Amino acid sequence: MPGLATPAAVALAAFAALHGSAAQAQLPSRGELLYNANCVACHNEKMHWRGRELVYDWDSLEEQVRRWQQASSLGWRDEDIREVARYLNDRYYGFTPTSTTALLKSSVPAPSGAGPTKVALPHRP
């Protein structure tokens, strides 16, 4: 009958829909792209696991990203700094952001399907 989809056509359409969604989910975040383009040459994964003397919470992480982008004369905007800090936090640190600007959607999926860290907003009358 014309107009009815064959099982093969339905399977092909389902595969294309799933494959397209998976490919889209794998796109790197802006923070990851900025980090990989500008920082990874000097910073490898071990850099983020050495003694946590400089980075011990969200604010210190964001400050170190700001410091190194200035030292490298990258000229990043505040948004770029937050994106890179968010990427590093999601990938390595897992700190709870302290500012509402840092509460934007996570830049990488949380490991093992866990959701992003929930932050309680202050009680307002």
Side-chain angles (χ1 to χ4, degrees), residues 35 38-39 43 47-48 50-74 76-78 80-86 88-89 92-93 95:
Y35 181 82
N38 298 287
C39 308
H43 293 265
M47 167 67 78
H48 302 287
R50 65 185 181 164
R52 296 207 174 169
E53 296 136 8
L54 298 175
V55 174
Y56 47 86
D57 63 7
W58 173 264
D59 290 335
S60 64
L61 173 59
E62 193 171 316
E63 182 54 36
Q64 287 303 310
V65 172
R66 183 177 308 283
R67 174 180 170 229
W68 284 107
Q69 73 81 29
Q70 286 172 342
S72 300
S73 301
L74 297 175
W76 288 350
R77 298 171 293 150
D78 287 343
D80 297 331
I81 292 166
R82 279 190 298 273
E83 285 295 322
V84 171
R86 187 176 302 112
L88 292 173
N89 189 55
Y92 298 107
Y93 298 102
F95 300 129

